[in-house]
Amino acid sequence: MTDVQRIGIELTEDAPGVSARVEIEYCTQCRWLPRAAWLAQELLTTFEAELTEVALKPGTGGVFTVRVGGEVVWDRREQGFPEPTAVKKAVRDRVAPKKSLGHSER
């Protein structure tokens, strides 16, 4: 298995709509695993066909960061804790720009 197969496909501007890997880094000291796991479940439910992987990455120091294809799309230190709709929109804009989020967008 190659590194690309193992970690997922990196998203490029030339390939919108390509499946991508999402990483949620959370603070273990703050006990934010349940929050990270819940957000991962929300993303997997919404983007079940578009995502190749959702990874939970333990961290420290108050970190709660969401990355799509290596790009930071949400950082708690700069933006506060995310509402699921905000993260879904950020992920959607990178992996499935034309996908409707239904009632979440209203």
Side-chain angles (χ1 to χ4, degrees):
M1 181 179 289
T2 68
D3 287 343
V4 172
Q5 290 170 325
R6 188 172 65 250
I7 65 168
I9 299 169
E10 294 293 322
L11 189 62
T12 66
E13 288 184 30
D14 296 335
V18 171
S19 295
R21 177 181 192 265
V22 172
E23 178 184 279
I24 302 170
E25 185 176 4
Y26 64 94
C27 180
T28 57
Q29 298 166 315
C30 305
R31 307 275 188 237
W32 288 339
L33 173 59
R35 186 183 298 245
W38 176 72
L39 184 57
Q41 177 257 313
E42 287 288 314
L43 293 174
L44 285 167
T45 301
T46 302
F47 302 103
E48 58 189 16
E50 293 86 5
L51 298 179
T52 57
E53 179 181 358
V54 175
L56 298 178
K57 179 180 178 184
T60 58
V63 66
F64 196 92
T65 306
V66 180
R67 294 178 183 87
V68 177
E71 175 190 358
V72 174
V73 298
W74 198 276
D75 188 338
R76 183 200 64 80
R77 290 184 179 130
E78 295 176 12
Q79 299 158 289
F81 270 110
E83 290 295 323
T85 302
V87 175
K88 287 179 182 182
K89 286 179 181 177
V91 171
R92 186 263 325 264
D93 291 348
R94 284 150 183 88
V95 301
K98 295 180 182 179
K99 183 179 182 85
S100 171
L101 296 178
H103 71 278
S104 296
E105 288 191 289
R106 296 182 188 127

